[in-house]
Amino acid sequence: MDRKPSTARTQATRARIIATAEQLFAERGVDSVSLNEITRAAEQKNRNAVHYHFGNKEALLAAVFEKHWQPISQQRQQMIADLALQSSVSLEDVANTLVQPVAARFEDPDGGLSYIKISAQLAASNILQFMVRNDSNAPAYGTDMKPLWEPFLQPLPPAVQTQRLSLAVGMLFHGLADHAILRESGAADLANTSFFVSNLVDSICAVISAPVSAATRATLGA
């Protein structure tokens, strides 16, 4: 018996549910959307469709992330490979490697803006865990880019290093989410994505390279 049509229908149903979920998560927040709402919005006759295809909300959210993380990871790995061929790597090069693959989601009509907004939510709720996860379902900024950051972080105390990277990831997603709103409003120069991304890279470089103040060192000593 040929099961290809069934497989195609299954894939189409999963894609529809993922697209619906990412839109609702982005608009209202991950915690505010129920699986039943997603099922209805995705126009699924089977009330258990989301449970059947994904099991629970966490698995569905993971599927949303995997959908977008794959092209982000591919672009970032290519950028990392290109940097390996350079005789020297600047902090700006590293910051671009963090920012550019995610900013490219602006040009993805299949849920790119929703992904950015959802990521900002998760970065706000648990930014450290969000940063260091290392699986196929979430960005692993603390692992896949660690060798690139290390030369610029080494002069800093370990606790400062961790927080600086957390701030960089937070700036990335919150900045892009805010910019998405400006793009929708068409607010003159502030809606210029090339300008925003370049300024975001500059800002992340400033966060990473800022000297540690005497006051901060004193709190570490205490």
Side-chain angles (χ1 to χ4, degrees):
M1 183 180 295
D2 185 2
R3 296 186 178 276
K4 288 184 178 179
S6 177
T7 300
R9 285 196 296 271
T10 296
Q11 292 174 344
T13 298
R14 285 177 57 88
R16 185 180 184 89
I17 292 172
I18 290 172
T20 302
E22 67 189 2
Q23 181 178 354
L24 292 177
F25 289 157
E27 290 175 352
R28 294 170 45 200
V30 173
D31 293 335
S32 300
V33 179
S34 70
L35 295 185
N36 287 336
E37 290 176 290
I38 295 170
T39 300
R40 291 194 298 270
E43 299 179 344
Q44 298 300 302
K45 294 180 180 179
N46 181 355
R47 292 184 297 176
N48 296 316
V50 177
H51 285 286
Y52 175 78
H53 289 284
F54 299 97
N56 54 42
K57 183 185 288 188
E58 289 72 21
L60 176 55
L61 183 61
V64 170
F65 267 85
E66 187 164 3
K67 168 186 171 181
H68 295 282
W69 179 240
Q70 288 180 349
I72 290 173
S73 180
Q74 289 171 0
Q75 183 177 349
R76 178 167 291 130
Q77 291 306 313
Q78 182 59 58
M79 294 179 73
I80 291 173
D82 291 343
L83 290 182
L85 300 177
Q86 296 182 189
S87 58
S88 63
V89 176
S90 68
L91 179 55
E92 182 179 355
D93 291 332
V94 179
N96 266 308
T97 304
L98 173 70
V99 173
Q100 295 289 352
V102 182
R105 297 296 90 203
F106 276 127
E107 309 309 322
D108 176 15
D110 186 17
L113 288 179
S114 294
Y115 165 78
I116 288 172
K117 293 177 180 178
I118 295 167
S119 296
Q121 294 176 35
L122 299 187
S125 61
N126 196 347
I127 189 169
L128 289 177
Q129 180 178 351
F130 181 77
M131 181 182 67
V132 301
R133 285 185 61 183
N134 186 21
D135 55 48
S136 63
N137 300 320
Y141 296 115
T143 55
D144 64 348
M145 291 188 63
K146 187 175 181 181
L148 295 176
W149 291 116
E150 281 181 341
F152 307 100
L153 292 170
Q154 282 178 349
L156 305 174
V160 175
Q161 294 181 26
T162 300
Q163 290 195 355
R164 293 283 176 91
L165 283 176
S166 299
L167 288 169
V169 174
M171 289 174 65
L172 169 65
F173 283 108
H174 287 296
L176 292 176
D178 289 343
H179 181 67
I181 297 173
L182 290 174
R183 278 172 56 111
E184 292 168 352
S185 70
D189 289 344
L190 292 178
N192 183 320
T193 298
S194 296
F195 163 73
F196 173 79
V197 169
S198 182
N199 196 30
L200 177 59
V201 168
D202 293 345
S203 300
I204 288 175
C205 289
V207 165
I208 297 297
S209 61
V212 182
S213 69
T216 298
R217 291 187 183 277
T219 59
L220 285 174

